[in-house]
Amino acid sequence: GLLREQKTKEAGRKAGLALALTLALSAVCALFLFFFSDFTVGFLYSSLSGEERSLMAALLRVASVTVVLLAVMQTANAVLVAYGKLYAPPLFLLAGVIVKAILEIILLFHEKIGIFAVPISDIVCYLIAVFGDLVYIRYSKRKTLRSVPSL
């Protein structure tokens, strides 16, 4: 009864806190990669030419968004597994991967986009997976709270 409802609400609060902390910490990492992409590429790939290093840094700036999306997706997947929704995360990711593959094929043929099709399609893939996870968490939370009898 009441104890189960309190535990369910507490679990929901902890899941929300885990997602918020993941978002905050991953955003810091993504911002670092975005603003210090030249330094990072130079440190990791010192043998690249100036043009290659510049291209790699630009790719890293675009791809830095995936740091946040991937981190949030992993935490959201853990929350869904804790809710007993084992099949939801891989299905949302599968939907993202299908869209990613199609989008990547389409974008690779645009001269202006070129190699940037890869990080752009990665972002779209993870956006789909994260959106699906978060909507399903919200749905699962509401359903769980409604099924708990109140006094």
Side-chain angles (χ1 to χ4, degrees), residues 97-120:
V97 167
I98 291 169
V99 172
K100 171 192 167 44
I102 294 167
L103 185 62
E104 201 168 290
I105 290 168
I106 293 168
L107 293 178
L108 278 172
F109 289 106
H110 287 35
E111 281 185 36
K112 292 182 180 178
I113 297 173
I115 192 69
F116 288 90
V118 175
I120 290 169

Side-chain angles (χ1 to χ4, degrees), residues 15-31:
L17 178 63
L19 285 166
L21 287 173
T22 299
L23 181 62
L25 292 172
S26 64
V28 170
C29 295
L31 286 171

Side-chain angles (χ1 to χ4, degrees), residues 73 77 80-81 85-98 129 133:
M73 184 185 74
N77 289 350
L80 284 169
V81 168
K85 310 298 182 190
L86 304 177
Y87 299 108
L91 290 176
F92 294 131
L93 187 56
L94 176 63
V97 167
I98 291 169
D133 284 350

Side-chain angles (χ1 to χ4, degrees), residues 63 66 69 100 103-104 117-127:
T66 62
L69 294 172
K100 171 192 167 44
L103 185 62
E104 201 168 290
V118 175
I120 290 169
S121 60
D122 284 347
I123 290 167
V124 172
C125 172
Y126 292 133
L127 273 173

Side-chain angles (χ1 to χ4, degrees), residues 6-17:
Q6 288 173 341
K7 285 184 178 183
T8 302
K9 286 182 180 180
E10 181 65 23
R13 279 192 286 275
K14 286 182 180 181
L17 178 63

Side-chain angles (χ1 to χ4, degrees), residues 4-54:
R4 181 173 171 209
E5 185 176 346
Q6 288 173 341
K7 285 184 178 183
T8 302
K9 286 182 180 180
E10 181 65 23
R13 279 192 286 275
K14 286 182 180 181
L17 178 63
L19 285 166
L21 287 173
T22 299
L23 181 62
L25 292 172
S26 64
V28 170
C29 295
L31 286 171
F32 176 85
L33 284 177
F34 183 84
F35 288 112
F36 296 101
S37 59
D38 290 320
F39 169 78
T40 305
V41 169
F43 180 76
L44 293 174
Y45 305 104
S46 58
S47 64
L48 292 177
S49 70
E51 186 179 321
E52 291 170 328
R53 190 178 294 182
S54 183

